[in-house]
Amino acid sequence: MELAWLGLLFPLLGALLNGLLGRSVLSKRAVSGIGPGAVGLAFGVAVWVWLDLLKRPPEERSVTLKLFDWIAVGGLDAPVSLLIDPLSVVMMLVVTGVGFLIHVYSVGYMGHDPDYPRYFAWLNLFTFSMLLLVMADNFLLLFVGWELVGLCSYLLIGFWFTRPSAAAAAKKAFITTRVGDFGFMVGLLLIFATFGTFSYGPIFEQAPQVLSPGLATAITLLLFAGAVGKSAQIPLHVWLPDAMEGPTPVSALIHAATMVTAGVYLVARAHVLYELAPVSMAVVAAVGVVTAFFAATIALVNPDIKRVLAYSTISQLGYMFLAAGVGAYAAGLFHLTSHAFMKALLFLAAGSVMHALGGEETDMRRMGGLNRHLPTTWKVFLIGALAMSGVPPLVGFFSKELILEEAFVLGHAGFWLLGLITAGLTAFYMLRAHFLTFHGAPRYDAKSVHPHESPPVMLWPLRALAALTVVGGALWLSIVDFAPFERFLEPVFRAEPAMEARPALALGKGALIALSLGAAAAGIGLAWLLYIKGWRPAAGLRRLGRPLYALLDNKYYVDELYYALFVAPGRALAELLSGPVDRGLLDGLVNGVGRLVDRVGGALRRVESGYIRAYLDWVLVGTLIVLVLLYVYAWGWSWGWGGGGR
Amino acid sequence: MWLTAIVFLPAVGALLIALLPRENVGLTRAVALLASLATLGLGVGLFFAFDPGQPGMQLIEEAPWIPALGVSYKLGVDGISLLLVLLTVVIVPLLLVAPWGRVEDASYKPFAALVLLLETAVLGVFLALDLVLFYVFWEAMLIPMYFLIGLWGGERRAYAAIKFFLYTMAASVLMLVAIVVLYVAAGLGTFDLMQLQGVQLGRSVEFWLFLAFVAAFAVKVPVWPLHSWLPDAYAEAPFAGTVLLSALMSKAGLYGLIRFGWTLFPNAAYELAPWLLGLALVGLLYGALVATVQRDLKRMVAYSSLSHLGLVALGIFAFGPLSLAGSVLQMVNHGIYIAALFLSLAVLWERFARRNVDEFGGVMRFMPRFAALFLVFMLASVALPGTNGFVGEVLILLGTFLTPHKAYAVVAALIAVLSAIYMLWMTQRVFHNPPNPELEPRARDLSIKEVALLVPLALLILGIGIYPKPLLARVEPSVEALIAQAQSRLERVHDPQAQGAVVEEATP
C-alpha cells in the first residue's frame, strides 16, 4: 500500500524516457515496450493496491500517503499526498486497465507514424496525470491532475499539428475547458476561505457544521462548472466532437473512457458537499439528463462515425451526472466503468475500420459492406453497439437500467422519462452506425481501397474489451440484487440517501425493465428498418422532418451562436482597446503631453531630435542643485534654524 | 562585504571591458561572461549564507556617505530582495552569451558593458536601504537601458528610447521630490529607510508622498494606464533589452511598491488600496485582451506581460500575507518565463527575421526540440500546474481572496482563460498549422549552445513549479515581518478577525 506512488512513477518514467530519448536513442521496439509496459506496470500496482484494500475491514479502507510538501506558506499547506480508498481504486483500475489495452492497440495503430515516440510519451503523461487526479487527497492536487490531463488532451488532439483542423480543435478544447475551470478555481478559493485547507478529510468532516446552504450551493455549483467543461456537458460540450481530430486511440482513452469522466469523479468525490446543497444536486441531474437527450439527438443524423461516438459519449456522461445528481453515486460510477469498456471498444473498433480503409476515413457515407472484410471488427463493434443500446446481458444494460431505475425510485419521474427516451435514441444511432458501416453495399472506392482486417496487436485489445463488455454486468446484476461493485464502494458513499425511504411506486421494477427493453427494441428496430430494409418514410413526413433534420445536422447551431455571442464581440472589443483606446487615446495623451512640453519649452526640442547627452547634462545639473540645496538645508538644520519639526 | 561585492562585481566587469581592445571580441566575451557568472556564484553563495529563519534585514553593510545630510551607504537583504537578486544574477549571463538579437561583434564591447552596468544598478535597487542610495541606483538603471534601445533597437528606436526615458524620468523626479519632502517632514536628518519607516506623518503629507512614490514605481512596472511606453520600448529594444525590461526592471517597480510604498506610507496605501487594486485588475484584463489581437509577436508578449504584471501588482495591493508572498514568488516566476518567451522570439527572429504571427506555420515540424522547450515556457505563462506560474498565480488569487478584496480575486481568476486564448492562438499560428515552405530553407533546430541557454530556464520553471518550498520558506518570514511593520503604523484600527485578513475596507 505504501508503494502506491509507484503507480504514478511508472507512467511518468515512461513519458520521460520516450519523450527525451525516444527520437534519438531508443529503438522503435524499445518505445513500443516502454509505452504500454509502463501502463501495464501501473495496472499491476492498481490491482495490488486493490487486493490490499480488500484485505482490510471496510471501515479501514481509506489510506492517506503523504509524498512531499508542495505549497506550504502562511496558512496554506497543500502537500502532494495520495488518498487510496475504494473510489480512487475503482478509477485507478479503469484508467490503467482500459488504458493498458489502448496502449497495446496503439502499437499497431500508430506504428507507422513518424512521431511514434512523442505519441507514447504524451499518452503515458496522460496516464500519469489522470492517476494523479484520481489519487489526490486534496482539491488543489486534484486540480493539478485536472489541468494536466487537459494539457495532454490538448497535445494529443493536436497530435497531427500540421492539420489546421487538428490544431484548431486542440486549442478549442483547452480554452473551452478552461472556461469551466474558471468556475472550478473560484470554487477552490471559496473552499479554502471556508475551511482553511484543501484536504478532503477535514473538509468533508467539517462541512455539515461549517457550510451554510448558500455557501454549499455556491461551492458545489462552481465545482460543477469545472465538471461541465471537462466532461463536455451543455453548455460547454462543443469541444468534444472537434476533439475527434486526434488519433482514434486517444479518443478512446481520453475522450471516452477516462478524462471526460473526471467531472463525474469530482462530483462523486465531493458528494458530501453536494448533499448539503439540494439545489446543486438538482442542477447536476438536470444538466446531465438534458445533455444526454440533446447529444443523442445530434448523434441520430451525424454521418461521421467518430463524431457519432463523441456525441454518444457526451450523452452517456449525461447519464452519469443524472445518477450523481439523484444521489446514486455508485450507479454513476458503475456506468462510468461500463461506459469505459463499451466506448473504448467502439472507438477502437472504429479505428480498426479507419485503418482498414487506409487511414483517416471517418465518413460513414463512404463505408458499408465491411462485415465480410473485417469479421472480428464487425463482431466486436456489434457487441459494443448492442451493449450501448441496453441489450441484456451486456454490461450497458445493467448500468443504464440501474440509473433509470434509481432516478425513478428516488422520485425523479421526469428525468427518468427523458432518460428512457434517450435510451431509445441511443439504440437507434448505435445500430444506425453499425449498419451504415458494416452492412449494405460498399460505398467506398473499391478500386483504390482494399479493406483488410487489422493486425493481432489491435485485435486482441478489441477482444479483451468485448469480453469485458459481455461479462462486466456481473459486477452489479442489478435485477437480482447481486452488487459487489456497490458493496466495494459502500465505505465511500455510506450516506446514500433514501434507499429505505422509497415511496410507493407507480411502476414496479419489472415494468421499468420492460419499458427500457422496449425503448431499446424500438430504436434497434427502426434502425434496422431504415438501414437494412431500406424503408423510406412517406414524402410528406420527410418534408416535415427536413427543418428538424437541418437543426440536428447543424448541432443546434451552438458553435455559430457562441461565435456570434462571445468570439466576435470579444475580438471587436480587443480591437477597440488595442487600436483606438491604447494607441489612440492613452498613447495619444502621453504624446500630447510631450508635445505640449515641447512647445512650451523650445529648448526641449533638441531632446526630441535625439541629443540625449544635453538632456543628461540637465538632469545632472538639476540633481546637483537639489543636492546642494539639501546640503545647505541640512547644514542649517544642524545649526538649529531648519524647519523640520520633529 | 558580501552585498557590496555582488552589487559592484558586474560594474567592475564593465570597467574591465572598457579597458579591453575593441577588436578582441573573444576576450571581451570571456570577461563579460566571467563577470556575470562570478556574480551568479556570489548570488548562489548569498542564498546559502542567508538565514531563512530571520525575518528582517540581514548582512547589513553600512558606511557614512554624505554624513552632513545623513546620507549613508547602506545595503541589506531579506527574503524578498534575496529572490529578486537571484533572479537578476540568473538572467544576465544568458543575455551576455545569447547569440541572438542585433548585436554584432563590432559593437559587443559597449553592449556587454552596458548590460553589466545595468545589472549593478538593478542589484543596487534591490539591496539599497538608504533612500538616496536607492534613488541613485534607480536612475542609474535608466541610462544603460536608454542606450541599449537607442543603439541596438529596431527602426523606431530613437522614438522608443526617448519616450521610455522621458516617461520614466518624469515619474522618477516626482519620487526624488518626495524623498526630499519626506526627509524634511520626518526631521530625523537621515535617509535610512528603516528609521524613516517608524515616522508618523501627517495625513495629507503621507497621501501625497505615497502618490509620488507610486507614480515612479507604477510607470516602471508599468501599471495601467501608465504603460504606453511599454509596447514601443519592448518592441523596439533588442531582445536582450526587452528581456532586461520585462524580466528585471519591471520587478524594480514592483519591489519599490513593496519595500517603500507600503512600509513608509501604510495609511495612504490602505486607503488607496481599492483604487490601486482596480488599476491592477484593469491592467490584467486589458493587457490580455489587447494581446489577443496583436500580429507582432513581440507586442503580443509585451501586452501579455502587462497582464501578468497586473496580477502581481494585485497581490501586492491586496497586501495579505499569502498574496504578498505569492506576488514575490511570481515576480521571480514571471522574470523567468517572460525572459524565456522573449528569448524564444529571438530564436525565431534570428532564423527567419520575422515577427508577424501570420508569416509562420509548422515551426514544430522544422524545430521539434525548440517547440518542446517553447511548450514549457508557454505553459508557465498560462499557469499550468507543474510550472512555476501556477504556484504564484494560485497564491496571489488565494491570498487576495482571503483579504476583504474578494471580488478582485474572482475577476482576476479570468486570467487563466484569457492567457490561454492568446498563448494557444499564437502557438497554433507559429508552431502548428501547415508548415510554411518559406521557412524551411532557414530553419534549423536549436544548437547545443542554444539548448544549454534555454534548458536552465525550463528546469527552473518546472523546479519551482514542483518544489517551491526553498523559495517560499525564505519569503514567508520577511513578508510577515513587513506586513506586521506596516500594520503597526496604521492609525485606524483594522480588524484582523476575518481569517488571514489584514486589510479592512475603509469605513467613513
Side-chain angles (χ1 to χ4, degrees), chain A residues 110-430:
Chain A
M110 297 300 287
H112 304 295
D113 198 286
D115 288 320
Y116 188 67
R118 176 162 61 93
Y119 173 81
F120 271 120
W122 287 348
L123 213 57
N124 274 2
L125 183 64
F126 168 77
T127 310
F128 161 79
S129 312
M130 189 70 203
L131 286 172
L132 188 65
L133 194 165
V134 299
M135 292 166 79
D137 104 313
N138 62 67
F139 279 106
L140 199 62
L141 194 61
L142 182 151
F143 188 71
V144 172
W146 187 273
E147 291 290 295
L148 286 179
V149 292
L151 166 70
C152 298
S153 165
Y154 165 76
L155 294 172
L156 283 161
I157 295 170
F159 182 74
W160 290 309
F161 58 87
T162 53
R163 288 187 200 164
S165 55
K171 182 184 65 179
K172 181 175 175 182
F174 194 88
I175 293 172
T176 312
T177 48
R178 272 237 160 162
V179 172
D181 292 348
F182 166 68
F184 197 156
M185 178 49 103
V186 178
L188 289 178
L189 298 182
L190 261 182
I191 285 178
F192 189 75
T194 310
F195 296 98
T197 176
F198 285 114
S199 295
Y200 298 148
I203 290 177
F204 297 149
E205 209 165 285
Q206 296 167 28
Q209 293 88 48
V210 173
L211 281 187
S212 66
L215 201 51
T217 308
I219 288 175
T220 46
L221 283 182
L222 286 164
L223 293 184
F224 185 57
V228 165
K230 191 67 73 185
S231 298
Q233 299 293 290
I234 288 173
L236 296 178
H237 63 285
V238 289
W239 66 270
L240 187 60
D242 289 13
M244 298 300 117
E245 291 288 340
T248 305
V250 169
S251 313
L253 178 61
I254 300 184
H255 305 118
T258 55
M259 182 190 82
V260 289
T261 65
V264 182
Y265 169 77
L266 174 64
V267 175
R269 177 55 81 195
H271 71 279
V272 176
L273 305 181
Y274 278 89
E275 269 154 26
L276 297 169
V279 177
S280 301
M281 294 283 276
V283 170
V284 171
V287 167
V289 75
V290 169
T291 303
F293 176 75
F294 273 96
T297 58
I298 298 173
L300 296 176
V301 300
N302 203 293
D304 181 301
I305 187 166
K306 283 187 74 178
R307 280 172 195 253
V308 168
L309 293 178
Y311 281 108
S312 166
T313 301
I314 296 174
S315 172
Q316 298 301 313
L317 290 165
Y319 274 113
M320 298 173 210
F321 280 111
L322 170 62
V326 300
Y329 309 105
L333 259 289
F334 184 45
H335 196 56
L336 187 159
T337 310
S338 138
H339 179 256
F341 299 157
M342 303 185 287
K343 199 47 80 52
L345 171 63
L346 286 165
F347 264 115
L348 294 188
S352 177
V353 170
M354 290 157 64
H355 190 257
L357 295 176
E360 290 305 308
E361 181 62 77
T362 55
D363 193 334
M364 292 187 290
R365 288 169 300 197
R366 287 195 289 274
M367 294 182 185
L370 289 171
N371 51 354
R372 275 155 292 162
H373 303 287
L374 312 173
T376 309
T377 307
W378 170 72
K379 242 175 281 169
V380 296
F381 194 96
L382 183 61
I383 292 173
L386 291 175
M388 286 289 304
S389 307
V391 172
L394 305 171
V395 68
F397 163 74
F398 291 103
S399 60
K400 190 185 296 176
E401 181 54 30
L402 199 61
I403 292 176
L404 292 176
E405 196 184 305
E406 296 279 336
F408 189 82
V409 167
L410 295 172
H412 305 277
F415 291 165
W416 163 79
L417 185 63
L418 202 53
L420 183 71
I421 296 169
T422 305
L425 300 179
T426 308
F428 174 81
Y429 71 67
M430 278 320 311

Side-chain angles (χ1 to χ4, degrees), chain A residues 70 74 161 171 178 582 587, chain B residues 163 227 286 303 382 433 465:
Chain A
W70 180 39
F161 58 87
K171 182 184 65 179
R178 272 237 160 162
D582 198 67
D587 201 36
Chain B
K163 186 169 173 182
H227 68 276
Y286 179 98
Y303 279 107
V382 302
N433 280 353

Side-chain angles (χ1 to χ4, degrees), chain B residues 478-496:
Chain B
S478 299
V479 160
E480 275 166 10
L482 194 130
I483 289 177
Q485 192 277 329
Q487 272 184 322
S488 71
R489 276 195 41 211
L490 285 186
E491 281 158 7
R492 195 174 292 117
V493 181
H494 289 271
D495 175 22

